[in-house]
Amino acid sequence: MLLVHKYGGTSVGTPERIKNVAGKLARLKREGNDLVIVVSAMGDTTDELIELAKSISSSPSRRELDALMSTGEQISGALMAMALEDFGIPAISLTGWQAGIYTDENAGRARIKSVDATRIKEELKKGKVIVVAGFQGICDQNDITTLGRGGSDTTAVALGIALGVEKIEIFTDVKGVYTADPRLVKNARKLDVISYDEMLELASQGARVMHTRAVELGWIYKMKIEVKSSFEDCPGTIIQEVSEMEPVSRVRGIAHKKDIAKITLKRVLDRPGVAHRIFKPLGDAGINVDDIIQNVSEFGYTDISFTIPIDDTDKALQILEKVKEELDIKEVLCNPAVGKVSIVGVGIQSTPGIAAKMFGLLGEAGINIDMISTSEIKIGCIINEEDVERAIKVLHDGFGLGENS
Ligand code: ADP
Ligand code: ASP
Ligand code: MG
């Protein structure tokens, strides 16, 4: 059987761990399986490479940053192939471009356009284990691109689809997808199965256990994804289409984000086209704006607030300074000390009482809600960053999600 596995940063964080994984893969190979293995960079390598870049330049170009960041996965890939060879297993490491992963030109957040698996298939025919550097590809200009933080998951799903397997396995440092981040909520419960839409919402609301685009891609191609531990041999969580009738509206999980900032534009002229003139340049600069709220207009003016990834704050403020002049906005305020907590579950937005319960639980805990956003399957609240961890626990307990609830 052809197996596609992905091993995350912690799972390949030390030479010993790489050897351990290689030992397990050697057994699977000897049992007659073909293997395509996607690896992340070792431990915190990607963060360290970004720091290294910053020690050279305050604003390194995206192209060179991608050239630098992509080396992390090349190191772990080559080491994994060496470890396999030491176990007597023929192996070959491939960079993203050697593996035929073609992306668009958006350095730092490139999307995979296509996969040409010819080389991988040739090497498989020679009996080799293929180790592919995750998180990277090549664009039409022949430049190296990276897929955005956590992007190795997406590499694995894309390869699984190109190779026609039924399921791919994501090996990580927790046993699966939990009702909340198990590092913060001690009695968080591991889910056996989760639907693509719920997983997508959890991921996009901050549950970094899966890269959002990996879930998106898996959903489109109906690729089953199992998230499981690389340290313990036990069943994980299967992300798949959930076809049986679900119990109507229950909260499945709590997700959170701390790495966001809130921008408020004071006294914006309330007239057609103004929102476009504010958000278009932000979008053009690749800034992902979330949770936009416009206040009721008074005397032809309004206030607009929205959140952005905290790393984009400087860039956004620069752009908004120009917009402020052009549109005669009174003030641009930025609060970096905000966070977001979201409850996720099919049908919850349209079920009376769930939103009220969420706000009640936060209120009783003395946690002030700054902004509220909803989607079909999520209710999210922007709150003070320092309240985030308490809010997760309060909601997790309040909705009875814990192991002993
Ligand atoms: P990897 O390096 O293997 O890709 P990540 O650090 O990207 O691992 O993702 C795994 C981490 O995701 C876990 O260590 C955990 O702290 C975090 N996490 C956040 N929310 C959840 C959740 N709902 N279920 C499981 N893990 C979660
Ligand atoms: N190494 C990259 C990161 O840290 C990609 C990944 O781990 O998936 O974001
Ligand atoms: Mg990850």
Side-chain angles (χ1 to χ4, degrees):
M1 189 153 114
L2 174 59
L3 305 176
V4 177
H5 287 187
K6 177 253 169 178
Y7 292 86
T10 318
S11 313
V12 295
T14 62
E16 287 64 41
R17 287 186 175 166
I18 293 179
K19 287 185 201 169
N20 272 341
V21 172
K24 186 178 85 175
L25 297 175
R27 276 197 302 280
L28 287 169
K29 179 70 182 155
R30 288 203 182 97
E31 284 164 17
N33 297 292
D34 284 329
L35 299 172
V36 174
I37 306 304
V38 175
V39 287
S40 288
M42 292 170 74
D44 296 328
T45 302
T46 310
D47 290 324
E48 288 159 14
L49 289 170
I50 294 170
E51 283 309 308
L52 190 58
K54 283 188 185 153
S55 71
I56 296 285
S57 157
S58 60
S59 55
S61 69
R62 288 293 345 181
R63 183 192 183 279
E64 298 312 328
L65 204 51
D66 273 11
L68 182 70
M69 284 197 294
S70 63
T71 60
E73 273 70 10
Q74 294 175 38
I75 293 171
S76 49
L79 293 175
M80 182 64 79
M82 290 175 198
L84 283 160
E85 284 171 340
D86 262 17
F87 278 101
I89 302 289
I92 182 169
S93 67
L94 298 176
T95 60
W97 57 102
Q98 288 172 321
I101 296 173
Y102 294 98
T103 74
D104 64 21
E105 274 107 54
N106 285 314
R109 55 190 168 89
R111 296 183 86 94
I112 296 177
K113 290 200 301 189
S114 62
V115 176
D116 175 358
T118 313
R119 174 83 189 268
I120 292 183
K121 286 179 184 161
E122 276 170 19
E123 301 292 346
L124 280 174
K125 266 197 209 131
K126 294 180 199 161
K128 291 186 185 169
V129 171
I130 319 297
V131 185
V132 178
F135 173 59
Q136 57 178 263
I138 191 165
C139 69
D140 287 349
Q141 271 88 40
N142 275 354
D143 281 334
I144 301 169
T145 51
T146 66
L147 310 180
R149 299 305 305 269
S152 298
D153 298 337
T154 303
T155 306
V157 175
L159 286 178
I161 293 163
L163 294 166
V165 297
E166 252 177 47
K167 181 179 94 171
I168 65 142
E169 290 161 89
I170 303 277
F171 289 86
T172 184
D173 56 7
V174 287
K175 286 187 204 158
V177 179
Y178 284 70
T179 47
D181 187 339
R183 289 185 199 288
L184 299 179
V185 180
K186 289 292 160 243
N187 69 339
R189 195 164 38 83
K190 194 190 81 189
L191 301 166
D192 294 332
V193 176
I194 187 164
S195 61
Y196 292 112
D197 51 354
E198 287 175 321
M199 188 64 233
L200 185 57
E201 198 70 63
L202 278 176
S204 66
Q205 296 309 315
R208 75 163 194 281
V209 62
M210 277 300 296
H211 194 226
T212 307
R213 293 221 313 278
V215 186
E216 237 168 43
L217 203 56
W219 192 2
I220 294 169
Y221 288 90
K222 304 285 178 276
M223 166 71 57
K224 277 189 198 160
I225 302 169
E226 181 169 7
V227 180
K228 60 207 295 195
S229 167
S230 60
F231 305 117
E232 281 173 72
D233 190 15
C234 51
T237 302
I238 310 231
I239 308 168
Q240 62 173 35
E241 198 116 78
V242 176
S243 52
E244 77 266 35
M245 287 280 244
E246 287 287 292
V248 191
S249 72
R250 74 288 174 258
V251 177
R252 279 291 262 183
I254 316 281
H256 73 281
K257 285 184 190 178
K258 287 185 179 171
D259 49 358
I260 53 174
K262 184 178 110 172
I263 306 275
T264 302
L265 308 180
K266 297 286 253 187
R267 208 165 180 275
V268 182
L269 203 56
D270 189 11
R271 168 181 88 217
V274 167
H276 175 76
R277 288 180 61 188
I278 295 169
F279 294 111
K280 171 88 171 42
L282 293 172
D284 289 347
I287 298 173
N288 196 3
V289 175
D290 202 5
D291 300 319
I292 305 169
I293 286 187
Q294 178 169 330
N295 286 355
V296 177
S297 155
E298 231 182 324
F299 310 116
Y301 288 94
T302 182
D303 294 345
I304 297 178
S305 294
F306 52 91
T307 58
I308 54 169
I310 199 140
D311 288 347
D312 288 335
T313 312
D314 289 346
K315 205 179 355 162
L317 289 177
Q318 259 175 30
I319 293 169
L320 290 168
E321 220 26 64
K322 249 179 92 195
V323 174
K324 179 181 168 215
E325 297 303 312
E326 282 168 21
L327 296 178
D328 198 22
I329 293 168
K330 190 168 166 217
E331 234 180 330
V332 177
L333 304 173
C334 174
N335 180 2
V338 298
K340 184 175 184 184
V341 63
S342 305
I343 58 173
V344 173
V346 165
I348 61 173
Q349 187 238 30
S350 52
T351 307
I354 292 196
K357 181 166 175 182
M358 179 183 193
F359 306 148
L361 287 166
L362 294 175
E364 279 161 31
I367 296 168
N368 189 50
I369 301 170
D370 199 2
M371 290 161 74
I372 297 166
S373 67
T374 63
S375 78
E376 200 49 47
I377 63 169
K378 150 212 110 193
I379 305 170
C381 294
I382 304 293
I383 58 179
N384 283 336
E385 190 178 354
E386 61 184 25
D387 289 333
V388 167
E389 289 186 19
R390 211 154 48 86
I392 304 166
K393 289 179 187 142
V394 161
L395 295 172
H396 196 264
D397 282 348
F399 282 103
L401 296 180
E403 200 66 83
N404 308 314
S405 308

